[in-house]
Amino acid sequence: GDGGKAIWLTQFGWNALPGDWQGEKSIWGSASEAEQADYTYRAVQRAAQEWPWAGAMFIESLQPAVDRADAHWGFALLDPDQHPRPVYEAFINALHQAERAPRAQWFVQPVGQVMNLSYQPNPLAQFSEGWRFGEMGADI
C-alpha cells in the first residue's frame, strides 16, 4: 500500500575539502569544490525531472555541528565563517530551476528554508504517530 508514497533522499552530497585543508582526512573520498557544485546541481535537476518516486531532498549539511578539523566540513554549504561555498550557489540555483519542474511543490519550499536558515518541515510532509521534527530533522 505504499506505492504512492515518495522516498525521501536524506543527507546526500559530495565531500569537497578546501585545497589547504589541515584537518582530518575524508573517509567519503573527495571531489573538488567545482565538481561538488556541479554534481549537486545536476542531482537536484535529475530528481526534479526524472524521479517521480523522489520526495524531499536533504543535502548534507548547511554547517555541521562539529569541530572545524572534522572532515564533515567538506559537505557544508557554508564555511565556518558562514560564507557561501560554491555548492551553496549551485544548490540554490538548482532549486530555483526546479521550480519549473513537473513536481515543483517538492522543491519550492526548501528555497525559503535555505535562504532563511530555518529548520522547518516541508508542509507537504506527513509524519505518522511517534515521529517529531526538530533541528536534526525527523526523528522517531
Side-chain angles (χ1 to χ4, degrees), residues 2-140:
D2 289 338
K5 292 184 180 176
I7 296 173
W8 286 20
L9 310 170
T10 62
Q11 296 178 302
F12 83 94
W14 291 265
N15 193 278
L17 295 168
D20 61 351
W21 180 253
Q22 299 293 314
E24 63 185 42
K25 184 178 176 182
S26 169
I27 62 171
W28 305 279
S30 184
S32 71
E33 287 195 300
E35 288 171 328
Q36 179 188 44
D38 179 55
Y39 296 164
T40 301
Y41 180 88
R42 292 185 345 190
V44 172
Q45 291 299 299
R46 185 167 188 188
Q49 296 294 328
E50 299 177 24
W51 296 349
W53 48 265
M57 294 176 70
F58 298 89
I59 197 162
E60 163 90 25
S61 67
L62 184 63
Q63 285 185 309
V66 296
D67 184 80
R68 287 184 178 216
D70 191 305
H72 277 92
W73 279 101
F75 292 110
L77 294 174
L78 302 177
D79 71 17
D81 297 319
Q82 299 193 10
H83 298 113
R85 297 179 65 215
V87 67
Y88 176 88
E89 299 299 332
F91 187 53
I92 296 301
N93 289 337
L95 291 173
H96 284 298
Q97 290 296 318
E99 290 176 355
R100 294 188 285 278
R103 295 170 21 268
Q105 72 273 13
W106 287 106
F107 297 91
V108 174
Q109 180 66 25
V111 172
Q113 291 174 6
V114 171
M115 298 297 242
N116 295 327
L117 309 180
S118 65
Y119 297 97
Q120 299 294 321
N122 186 311
L124 299 175
Q126 295 180 3
F127 297 93
S128 57
E129 186 178 339
W131 287 86
R132 68 186 188 318
F133 190 89
E135 288 192 11
M136 296 298 291
D139 298 309
I140 189 70

